[in-house]
Amino acid sequence: MRMQLLMQASLKGSRQVDLTFYNSSMKKVVHAACPHDCPDACGVLITVEDGRATRIQGDPAHPVTRGFLCAKVTKYLDRVYSPDRVLYPMRRVQPKGQGKGDASDFTRISWDEALNEIATRLRKTSDEFGPEAILPYSYAGTLGMLNNTGMAHRFFYRLGASQLDRTICATAGGDALITVLGRKLGTEPEQFRHSKYIIAWGANIHGNNVHLWPFIEEARRNGAKLVVIDPYKTRTARCADWHLPINPGTDVALALAIMHVIINENLYDADYVSRYTLGFEELKQRVQEYPAVRVAQLTGIAAADIEKLAREYATSRPAVIRVNYGVQRAQNGGMAVRAITMLPCITGSWKEVGGGLQLSTSGAFPLNKEAIERPDLMLKSPLGRAARIINMSELGKALTQIDSPPVKAIFVYNSNPAVVAPNHNDVVRGFLRPDLFTVVHEQFFTDTAQYADILLPATTFFEHKDLQPSYGHYYLQVSNPAIAPLGECKSNTELFAELAQRMGFTDDCFRQTEDEMIDAALTSTQPGWLEGVTRERLEAEGHIRLKFGEGPFLPYAQGNFPTPSGKAELLNERLTSQGLDPVANFVAPSESRHAEKAQHFPLELLSRKADNFLNSTFANLSSIQKMEQPELLEMSASDAQPRGIREGDWVRVFNDRGEVRLRAHVNGAVQPGVVATRLTWASLSPSRKSINALTSETLTDIGRGATFYSCLVEVEKESS
Ligand SMILES: Nc1nc2c(c(=O)[nH]1)N[C@H]1C(S)=C(S)[C@@H](COP(=O)(O)OP(=O)(O)OC[C@H]3O[C@@H](n4cnc5c(=O)[nH]c(N)nc54)[C@H](O)[C@@H]3O)O[C@H]1N2
Ligand SMILES: Nc1nc2c(c(=O)[nH]1)N[C@H]1C(S)=C(S)[C@@H](COP(=O)(O)OP(=O)(O)OC[C@H]3O[C@@H](n4cnc5c(=O)[nH]c(N)nc54)[C@H](O)[C@@H]3O)O[C@H]1N2
Ligand code: SF4
Ligand SMILES: [Mo]
């Protein structure tokens, strides 16, 4: 698939398009798109000289990227050309868990050997145990549409492998948003500059969504107020006008209390509510159970502050909420997002430029997923039906408990489950099973790679082509390859196309080129907002804004909610069948300060993402490590003192699932009762264990998601 490379140079905003080949001696600038799991989906310009990338910069022409990149991707050349890249296929030679846990446990083999061995093992597993004994495990290493799903989905569907329910990040909030709005749409980032009141709700904008920040700064220069609701004092919180440190997992109560004030003080938009919402009377009744005085006790936020927040939010116009996924990593996170999403529906702020709410914009891209993923291929598999579904947030259980059939082969790509999956100790126990055949396709020798039987080298986005949507803005991009693949790296697309041939899958879709796949993704029977968007245009223009008509995008200004009722569903009876409240209510997470378990493990642990890593990605690069201290456990003085813990002491953080070692940092980042640390590679942490040794496989109320932020622990000073 080394095809002609389309290059683009940006000269004072005008773009020149030229065709050339790899290894051209010319200096050229290639347009790509950052595929990492980040709402910003930046437009990227890569300078290539003599076939080697020499510079990376943000595309100045991209209206959200605006010419800059985050600190980690600014250093991307270090990642692409890192001496630690996996460059060749490898086979394990030391028994799992008995070697050094590094590349010396492996020997180099050819692609031919690797693919033959994988095909043979998968066939054997399928014959002996049925194809559902094979489990693909992938998440968001790349969000480029081709390499995120594409050939891999086709391959595993055709094989009849177990389906993976990809719940580890966003299903609680995403599904909850849909219960109110019908679709994952939200305020476009460019409109934030027009807001007068901005709430960052469980949203670490400075760290995780940095391209929204300049729009917020612009709004603030024009008098807007920024409020942050987060149990952790993020950099965003430190820069804000008002930080409300909330007790973890209590946001649903806060949102209901805000609506209590807004409704009882008649601050809602009666006209908008009556025309465009369903269930306002039921909501009105429900919020009476959430007066500010009661909710103050749950949230730790003073009643007067709750009332002030409600009044300011309802009367400042326009007011916008950036709610991010942090809120929905609590057990009751679905209900929290549901209740927060109701706020602009009762104030009517969806009508205003700079109003509304953003959780995700991903529902706006009408790409032809069926054509890219081909779920129909399951019918051609030996099963002849849809395969069973395994929840990725219960990987530990899947590898150690499930039978009929047990998981006998796991194929990991785009993910590092030996770090990111909850209940790490069970996950590792599963990966150590000698009878489990494990394939890992990776760019680096990650913690998960340590458990591979066959390790395969993967390209980075510098080395392959893709189609890049976004979950934080409304621009679609094509990402062009800038350099030839390093070593013997193959993209996910190439790998699964070749493996399909070895398996004897003759379906035409396994022979599609990247360009044909992109064309297929753009051919929708209902192009809607993609009207007129072609690959050729994307290649020529770099990015294209979805076509919503002229002017700012206001999807719900006149209702038009894509829900079954056509209205914003403040009451959703379909929730009742799932045993949930059809409006919204507060149920304390089973791991929170309100739970019985808190008697033994009284501290709420937030194992957050590092601002300069991306989940576990980047954690192994020395130039990036300098910016983070993931070995720290941040805690308040009032929790440290009674435990005899002082700044810099090594501590044991534990619960009934596991323990890790960290170094105490007694600062003002968290309130009493909360401790915080950052996600990093297990092999790079002091106890060589992921922080997820402490988190559980309990699932969220809505969306079967992971509950990383509902986690109780105790901390004690390490005896010296
Ligand atoms: N630099 C960087 N950027 C990233 C990532 C990264 O790892 N690093 N990850 C990417 C990914 S995968 C995602 S999903 C997005 C997610 O981006 P965010 O949703 O912003 O993700 P989190 O960092 O999990 O959570 C945001 C904030 O929620 C807070 N929080 C935790 N519990 C609660 C609670 O109960 N209530 C409230 N109100 N707040 C709470 C956390 O302290 C955190 O500061 O970011 C993406 N961008
Ligand atoms: N304790 C705790 N745990 C968490 C979270 C948390 O906040 N706290 N966050 C959760 C969230 S929101 C998420 S989204 C998940 C993230 O879970 P993952 O999506 O597994 O995230 P990463 O750790 O970034 O691992 C992605 C891996 O994919 C690889 N990769 C990148 N591009 C490619 C490619 O093109 N091909 C192949 N084959 N591989 C590639 C990268 O090198 C990297 O090792 O983690 C979850 N886990
Ligand atoms: S990680 Fe996010 S902010 Fe950084 S370059 Fe990629 S898309 Fe942009
Ligand atoms: Mo995520």
Side-chain angles (χ1 to χ4, degrees):
M1 279 187 209
R2 296 191 188 181
M3 54 196 57
Q4 278 194 324
L5 169 69
L6 188 88
M7 17 164 285
Q8 305 186 338
S10 177
L11 287 175
K12 295 192 180 139
S14 76
R15 281 158 186 280
Q16 295 185 333
V17 179
D18 187 10
L19 284 174
T20 185
F21 291 94
Y22 287 129
N23 300 326
S24 151
S25 59
M26 286 164 59
K27 177 169 170 174
K28 59 188 183 182
V29 178
V30 178
H31 178 272
C34 176
H36 284 288
D37 186 358
C38 169
D40 297 3
C42 287
V44 167
L45 299 177
I46 303 167
T47 306
V48 182
E49 292 171 81
D50 296 328
R52 192 177 166 91
T54 52
R55 188 174 178 209
I56 179 169
Q57 62 193 118
D59 184 352
H62 190 292
V64 178
T65 308
R66 298 167 93 188
F68 77 97
L69 301 173
C70 62
K72 52 199 179 298
V73 174
T74 298
K75 296 186 188 299
Y76 214 75
L77 296 178
D78 293 352
R79 186 163 193 275
V80 172
Y81 294 114
S82 163
D84 300 334
R85 278 282 297 272
V86 174
L87 295 176
Y88 310 100
M90 289 193 262
R91 179 195 287 126
R92 159 173 304 287
V93 285
Q94 293 291 334
K96 289 177 204 174
Q98 289 177 31
K100 286 199 180 142
D102 61 23
S104 68
D105 296 352
F106 293 80
T107 186
R108 182 174 168 180
I109 55 174
S110 69
W111 265 106
D112 222 33
E113 287 172 281
L115 292 173
N116 281 340
E117 183 162 340
I118 295 167
T120 306
R121 291 291 297 261
L122 294 185
R123 234 182 256 120
K124 192 161 168 274
T125 305
S126 179
D127 291 348
E128 247 179 82
F129 299 93
E132 287 168 308
I134 301 164
L135 179 68
Y137 197 93
S138 75
Y139 199 64
T142 167
L143 288 181
M145 196 185 189
L146 270 40
N147 287 289
N148 180 243
T149 59
M151 285 294 177
H153 272 50
R154 294 173 180 181
F155 178 80
F156 291 110
Y157 284 143
R158 179 67 183 76
L159 198 59
S162 286
Q163 299 184 70
L164 187 72
D165 197 3
R166 293 179 169 79
T167 58
I168 204 161
C169 167
T171 46
D175 289 6
L177 190 86
I178 289 169
T179 67
V180 184
L181 306 180
R183 192 161 171 182
K184 288 206 233 173
L185 297 178
T187 308
E188 55 191 330
E190 299 95 311
Q191 281 187 42
F192 277 67
R193 57 156 72 94
H194 301 297
S195 300
K196 288 287 176 242
Y197 202 79
I198 300 166
I199 302 181
W201 200 321
N204 177 17
I205 294 166
H206 246 295
N208 300 0
N209 178 200
V210 66
H211 291 83
L212 186 60
W213 188 251
F215 297 111
I216 293 178
E217 279 293 273
E218 191 179 333
R220 293 174 84 191
R221 283 197 296 278
N222 293 320
K225 180 166 180 174
L226 173 67
V227 184
V228 171
I229 303 172
D230 195 313
Y232 183 86
K233 195 181 266 185
T234 57
R235 202 156 15 132
T236 320
R238 285 199 298 264
C239 298
D241 300 291
W242 193 17
H243 173 212
L244 294 163
I246 187 170
N247 292 336
T250 63
D251 303 82
V252 58
L254 178 62
L256 290 166
I258 293 173
M259 290 192 277
H260 179 269
V261 177
I262 293 174
I263 293 173
N264 289 9
E265 297 186 6
N266 248 330
L267 299 174
Y268 63 97
D269 181 336
D271 179 59
Y272 191 91
V273 164
S274 72
R275 282 174 196 245
Y276 306 131
T277 69
L278 178 80
F280 182 72
E281 282 310 313
E282 286 84 352
L283 174 66
K284 187 173 175 178
Q285 275 176 31
R286 173 54 38 79
V287 299
Q288 304 312 318
E289 297 164 31
Y290 295 88
V293 276
R294 175 184 170 218
V295 170
Q297 283 172 357
L298 294 173
T299 57
I301 300 173
D305 283 342
I306 295 174
E307 286 164 355
K308 180 176 158 200
L309 174 66
R311 291 179 192 131
E312 285 184 359
Y313 169 69
T315 57
S316 313
R317 300 249 156 196
V320 69
I321 298 173
R322 175 54 161 129
V323 54
N324 215 329
Y325 289 106
V327 169
Q328 52 96 69
R329 299 190 217 292
Q331 197 179 345
N332 58 11
M335 274 298 164
V337 169
R338 194 173 144 70
I340 293 165
T341 306
M342 292 178 190
L343 285 163
C345 303
I346 67 163
T347 63
S349 92
W350 287 118
K351 292 188 302 196
E352 294 156 6
V353 175
L357 168 146
Q358 189 199 102
L359 173 70
S360 171
T361 60
S362 63
F365 294 83
L367 296 164
N368 192 339
K369 273 180 70 177
E370 307 272 297
I372 289 299
E373 300 177 11
R374 297 289 309 274
D376 58 292
L377 288 172
M378 276 191 287
L379 301 177
K380 290 184 77 177
S381 77
L383 284 177
R385 58 164 169 84
R388 72 173 172 191
I389 298 173
I390 289 181
N391 188 332
M392 74 183 303
S393 303
E394 297 178 312
L395 179 62
K397 216 182 263 176
L399 294 181
T400 59
Q401 290 178 31
I402 291 188
D403 47 20
S404 58
V407 175
K408 293 298 247 179
I410 182 168
F411 202 128
V412 182
Y413 59 101
N414 282 350
S415 186
N416 189 7
V419 176
V420 301
N423 202 6
H424 173 75
N425 288 335
D426 274 6
V427 171
V428 168
R429 223 155 41 84
F431 274 125
L432 282 172
R433 273 174 40 203
D435 65 319
L436 179 73
F437 177 62
T438 302
V439 182
V440 177
H441 185 221
E442 250 301 347
Q443 297 159 344
F444 286 93
F445 200 83
T446 59
D447 291 311
T448 310
Q450 283 187 29
Y451 302 104
D453 290 288
I454 301 280
L455 176 59
L456 302 171
T459 45
T460 65
F461 78 100
F462 276 35
E463 300 148 72
H464 59 235
K465 185 160 188 171
D466 220 318
L467 177 67
Q468 188 67 42
S470 165
Y471 65 97
H473 61 64
Y474 292 111
Y475 297 87
L476 183 64
Q477 300 174 83
V478 156
S479 186
N480 296 293
I483 56 171
L486 266 63
E488 294 182 3
C489 290
K490 287 187 196 290
S491 69
N492 300 3
T493 308
E494 271 181 296
L495 161 63
F496 288 104
E498 290 185 21
L499 203 49
Q501 305 308 323
R502 303 281 161 140
M503 296 296 291
F505 299 160
T506 51
D507 315 75
D508 286 347
C509 65
F510 293 113
R511 297 183 186 279
Q512 268 187 333
T513 62
E514 289 156 327
D515 284 353
E516 285 166 345
M517 289 177 81
I518 294 175
D519 292 341
L522 295 171
T523 357
S524 171
T525 46
Q526 290 179 311
W529 294 326
L530 273 180
E531 191 78 60
V533 178
T534 59
R535 177 170 50 82
E536 290 75 12
R537 268 194 66 201
L538 283 165
E539 286 170 341
E541 296 170 36
H543 60 266
I544 297 181
R545 183 176 189 258
L546 300 182
K547 193 170 153 194
F548 306 120
E550 295 308 310
F553 182 46
L554 294 171
Y556 307 130
Q558 289 157 339
N560 293 320
F561 291 96
T563 54
S565 65
K567 298 190 167 184
E569 298 194 341
L570 312 177
L571 177 78
N572 186 323
E573 296 287 6
R574 293 180 302 286
L575 291 170
T576 317
S577 62
Q578 299 167 40
L580 297 169
D581 190 287
V583 181
N585 64 345
F586 171 74
V587 179
S590 53
E591 296 205 20
S592 73
R593 64 184 70 202
H594 310 284
E596 211 177 294
K597 197 170 175 177
Q599 288 171 15
H600 306 287
F601 304 107
L603 299 171
E604 293 174 296
L605 170 72
L606 298 176
S607 49
R608 300 172 60 260
K609 301 162 193 316
D611 286 2
N612 297 294
F613 304 155
L614 204 135
N615 299 311
S616 79
T617 307
F618 297 96
N620 59 318
L621 299 176
S622 57
S623 57
I624 310 244
Q625 283 165 347
K626 291 191 187 102
M627 300 189 271
E628 289 290 345
Q629 287 181 285
E631 77 283 9
L632 297 182
L633 181 78
E634 292 171 280
M635 61 193 307
S636 73
S638 59
D639 288 321
Q641 266 161 14
R643 291 173 175 80
I645 296 169
R646 282 194 306 221
E647 176 68 22
D649 282 347
W650 284 99
V651 293
R652 192 169 84 93
V653 190
F654 63 98
N655 60 21
D656 49 359
R657 287 176 292 272
E659 65 173 78
V660 301
R661 243 185 124 217
L662 293 169
R663 209 149 53 72
H665 185 33
V666 185
N667 62 0
V670 283
Q671 298 284 104
V674 179
V675 291
T677 187
R678 287 160 213 190
L679 201 58
T680 186
W681 281 18
S683 52
L684 297 172
S685 15
S687 37
R688 295 182 67 81
K689 277 205 178 83
S690 164
I691 190 67
N692 281 316
L694 300 168
T695 59
S696 80
E697 289 172 286
T698 304
L699 301 178
T700 49
D701 51 355
I702 297 175
R704 307 163 312 282
T707 53
F708 295 109
Y709 296 164
S710 292
C711 177
L712 286 174
V713 297
E714 178 54 293
V715 178
E716 65 182 27
K717 189 176 164 173
E718 241 181 31
S719 42
S720 43

